[in-house]
Amino acid sequence: MLKEGLSGTSRTVVSDGNTAAAAGSGDMPVFSTPAMAALMENAAMNAVAHLLPEGSTTVGTRLEIDHIKASAVGAEITATAVLTAIEGRKLTFNVGARDSGGMIGEGVHVRFVVERERFMSKL
């Protein structure tokens, strides 16, 4: 059963492939904002995936984040998501990301619970 307070995490190591230069979101060899956003979304997905009905998943619909500190190649990044509100199928999470030096990003992420087949049939 879904309940407020559920949390999930996701980890990665900054590599040449997830830098701003590689993503095209900048030209520096630092952890990209798009990679941080994806890591945060993955943490939120992980927080609830094991509790969803068979055939269901969640899809992200909103992500409002601040990327507050750069992380160098080789840094380990951990994103955490905490479920803060449930409104029917709408799930709201507080998300954050850290490296060994502390917080590098934070924000709010919204996901909706959907039935996989029904969702895909609408595309």
Side-chain angles (χ1 to χ4, degrees):
M1 181 173 166
L2 297 179
K3 62 182 179 183
E4 292 176 10
L6 289 170
S7 65
T9 59
S10 189
R11 290 180 176 80
T12 195
V13 174
V14 182
S15 66
D16 291 336
N18 59 14
T19 64
S25 63
D27 61 6
M28 301 286 284
V30 295
F31 193 51
S32 73
T33 302
M36 184 182 74
L39 200 65
M40 290 171 162
E41 286 199 69
N42 187 257
M45 182 187 73
N46 290 342
V48 298
H50 64 288
L51 295 171
L52 298 176
E54 182 74 27
S56 293
T57 190
T58 58
V59 294
T61 61
R62 182 169 186 231
L63 183 61
E64 183 177 333
I65 58 172
D66 293 313
H67 195 164
I68 55 180
K69 181 181 168 286
S71 300
V73 170
E76 183 175 342
I77 311 296
T78 302
T80 303
V82 178
L83 182 58
T84 58
I86 304 168
E87 301 171 50
R89 297 183 308 114
K90 180 182 177 184
L91 308 176
T92 303
F93 298 84
N94 282 346
V95 292
R98 300 179 153 275
D99 65 13
S100 63
M103 187 69 69
I104 66 163
E106 60 189 355
V108 176
H109 178 43
V110 175
R111 298 185 74 79
F112 276 81
V113 177
V114 298
E115 293 177 15
R116 289 175 187 271
E117 285 188 29
R118 184 173 179 196
F119 182 86
M120 293 303 293
S121 72
K122 294 180 179 181
L123 300 182

